[in-house]
Amino acid sequence: MSRVSDLDRDRAVTLVQQAYAVGRLDQAELEARLERALTAVSPGDLAPVVADLPGDEPVRLETVGGRVTRTGDWQVPQRLRVESEYGSVRLDLSRAHVPYGQVDIELRLAYGRALIILPAGATANADGVRSEWGRVICRAAGSPRHGGPHVRVTGELPYGRLVIRTRR
């Protein structure tokens, strides 16, 4: 039996809190769903907590050998999944609109490389990235701070390379 990860549990709690904040849930439903989310053991326990809530699907960007580039003034989604077999990824958040306190980026790069550029005051954590022969370099502060977004990067880069840095 697979177990629920802390990341999945945190995501469910965030969705429930957002639904309450916009009036989709009342106080009693909020409390009941939070209790179920925080005590969930398996994915089957967690799924009904968020099944009817919007916003759980990530924005997906995919390429085989091309480039995925987002720069300038673009809207950063709360959850982003980027997949590339051989291509390169450049996500420049330094001038982008980041309306969330935390952004989750999942990378699936077999042989590709990724560069994530953070805005001033942002932090990042790449502890959730698994690499076999590739490299993961994070030159940004790792602990979330008040005032700037926190970018949490997860995924797999068997032979790929990831660099996270702030804007120069």
Side-chain angles (χ1 to χ4, degrees):
M1 174 165 104
S2 66
R3 297 184 60 85
V4 173
S5 70
D6 288 340
L7 178 65
D8 292 335
R9 193 175 287 111
D10 291 347
R11 194 171 291 133
V13 166
T14 299
L15 284 172
V16 170
Q17 290 171 332
Q18 288 173 345
Y20 174 74
V22 298
R24 292 185 187 272
L25 303 175
D26 63 23
Q27 182 70 34
E29 185 72 11
L30 168 74
E31 291 172 8
R33 288 186 189 221
L34 287 176
E35 181 179 350
R36 289 193 322 232
L38 294 171
T39 59
V41 176
S42 72
D45 297 336
L46 194 57
V49 174
V50 296
D52 61 338
L53 300 179
D56 193 33
E57 287 299 313
V59 171
R60 300 174 82 91
L61 303 173
E62 299 177 32
T63 184
V64 173
R67 292 180 180 215
V68 173
T69 303
R70 296 294 181 271
T71 61
D73 184 17
W74 63 289
Q75 177 81 24
V76 178
Q78 187 169 20
R79 294 186 58 216
L80 180 62
R81 180 178 178 146
V82 183
E83 296 181 42
S84 177
E85 189 73 24
Y86 300 99
S88 65
V89 176
R90 180 184 173 100
L91 301 175
D92 186 345
L93 284 65
S94 65
R95 293 187 180 104
H97 177 63
V98 185
Y100 307 103
Q102 178 170 305
V103 174
D104 292 316
I105 300 174
E106 180 182 356
L107 298 174
R108 300 281 175 199
L109 308 175
Y111 296 94
R113 65 184 187 274
L115 171 63
I116 300 174
I117 303 170
L118 304 174
T123 58
N125 182 317
D127 291 345
V129 176
R130 188 176 78 76
S131 178
E132 294 174 23
W133 296 94
R135 292 178 53 187
V136 177
I137 301 167
C138 184
R139 295 188 176 119
S143 299
R145 296 183 188 153
H146 183 67
H150 181 68
V151 177
R152 185 165 48 180
V153 184
T154 59
E156 295 188 17
L157 292 81
Y159 301 96
R161 177 181 171 157
L162 168 64
V163 175
I164 303 171
R165 64 173 174 79
T166 55
R167 183 175 171 206
R168 293 183 178 146

